[in-house]
């Protein structure tokens, strides 16, 4: 029953809402600058981290290359094994000494590869002790042992072994030197000395030697 003029007056006064839209450029620039600053911070941190990581990787690679070059340059065989006797490192000298390329040696059982069969039982007993404690009959001592070439030939070697832990497990790294020539020279010298002594003992005259202080050094 409200007249149309009154209804329209009420509607315009209480109901009709005019909305005026505009762009708040101040807020826009604040958000934009904030996002830009945050992006720059993230990019800066990422670049710094990448630089640091690249430097560390470069230093590690350089150290590994240096160690590889050094290990390849030495004349002794350099071999590293884990607690199960699996070969983890095998240098060029080891390849030359045993006639086995590194790609064939890595991952193989070292004792099955280069230890003569008659010594493998004792080697496995020592390996069991080494796995538990890092100790063993060849650890920390320079010893003369016997090794086996890929062609089955046996030759004398001088072995030095050190133990270390990596990821909670014992590993061993050892140097192996072929002492065939030295042993042959020692045997030749011992034979020559024995022959000389036999000759001196067989002559019919007394022979003796003295040092500079007048002390006897030899008498037949």
């Amino acid at each position: 029953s409200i007249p149309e003029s009154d209804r329209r007056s009420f509607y315009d006064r209480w109901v009709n809402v005019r909305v005026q839209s505009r762009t708040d450029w101040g807020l826009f620039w604040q958000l934009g600058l904030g996002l830009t600053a945050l992006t720059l911070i993230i990019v800066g941190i990422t670049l710094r981290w990448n630089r640091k990581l690249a430097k560390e990787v470069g230093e590690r690679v350089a150290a590994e290359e240096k160690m590889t070059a050094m290990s390849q340059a030495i004349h002794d065989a350099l071999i590293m094994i884990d607690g199960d006797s699996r070969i983890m490192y095998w240098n060029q000298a080891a390849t030359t000494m045993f006639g086995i390329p590194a790609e064939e040696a890595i991952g193989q059982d070292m004792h099955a590869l280069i230890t003569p069969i008659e010594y493998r039982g004792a080697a496995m007993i020592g390996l069991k002790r080494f796995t538990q404690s890092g100790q063993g009959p060849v650890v920390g001592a320079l010893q003369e042992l016997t090794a086996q070439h890929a062609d089955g030939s046996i030759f004398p070697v001088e072995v030095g072994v050190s133990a270390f832990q990596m990821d909670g497990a014992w590993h061993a790294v050892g140097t192996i030197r072929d002492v065939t020539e030295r042993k042959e020279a020692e045997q030749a010298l011992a034979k020559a000395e024995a022959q000389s002594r036999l000759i001196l003992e067989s002559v019919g005259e007394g022979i003796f030697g003295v040092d500079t202080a007048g002390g006897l050094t030899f008498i037949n």
Side-chain angles (χ1 to χ4, degrees):
S1 63
I2 299 174
E4 179 62 24
S5 59
D6 293 341
R7 190 185 68 77
R8 175 58 60 184
S9 176
F10 292 149
Y11 185 87
D12 289 343
R13 183 175 181 181
W14 301 105
V15 178
N16 190 24
V17 178
R18 293 182 177 87
V19 178
Q20 182 179 3
S21 63
R22 68 184 181 87
T23 302
D24 189 346
W25 291 105
L27 179 60
F28 174 80
W29 287 112
Q30 288 178 5
L31 291 174
L33 290 174
L35 289 174
T36 301
L38 180 60
T39 302
L40 289 174
I41 291 173
I42 293 174
V43 170
I45 293 174
T46 303
L47 289 175
R48 184 177 179 183
W49 176 258
N50 285 343
R51 247 187 238 110
K52 182 180 179 182
L53 187 61
K55 182 180 179 182
E56 291 178 353
V57 171
E59 291 175 349
R60 182 175 299 176
V61 170
E64 289 177 353
E65 290 177 349
K66 187 180 294 184
M67 288 300 297
T68 299
M70 291 171 60
S71 66
Q72 298 295 354
I74 63 176
H75 298 294
D76 294 344
L78 185 63
I79 302 173
M80 184 172 77
I81 63 171
D82 62 12
D84 295 322
S85 188
R86 287 193 302 267
I87 297 171
M88 303 180 67
Y89 183 79
W90 181 274
N91 72 343
Q92 182 58 43
T95 295
T96 302
M97 184 178 298
F98 296 103
I100 304 171
E103 56 269 21
E104 294 182 13
I106 299 298
Q108 297 295 319
D109 185 321
M110 183 196 69
H111 292 299
L113 205 62
I114 65 173
T115 301
I117 190 168
E118 61 266 30
Y119 302 119
R120 290 177 193 171
M124 296 310 296
I125 294 174
L127 180 66
K128 184 176 180 180
R129 177 186 172 193
F130 171 79
T131 302
Q132 297 173 347
S133 64
Q135 301 294 322
V138 298
V139 177
L142 198 62
Q143 296 190 18
E144 288 189 1
L145 302 173
T146 304
Q148 180 173 294
H149 191 272
D151 62 8
S153 60
I154 305 299
F155 60 99
V157 292
E158 189 174 71
V159 179
V161 178
S162 297
F164 65 96
Q165 276 189 311
M166 185 167 61
D167 298 329
W170 284 104
H171 294 67
V173 60
T175 58
I176 303 176
R177 176 173 297 178
D178 186 345
V179 293
T180 301
E181 293 183 0
R182 190 180 76 189
K183 298 299 288 185
E184 289 176 350
E186 290 176 353
Q187 292 173 2
L189 179 60
K191 183 178 180 180
E193 289 179 347
Q195 290 176 342
S196 298
R197 185 172 296 275
L198 180 61
I199 292 172
L200 291 173
E201 294 291 352
S202 64
V203 298
E205 299 176 352
I207 301 175
F208 62 91
V210 294
D211 57 22
T212 54
L216 282 171
T217 58
F218 170 79
I219 184 169
N220 72 341

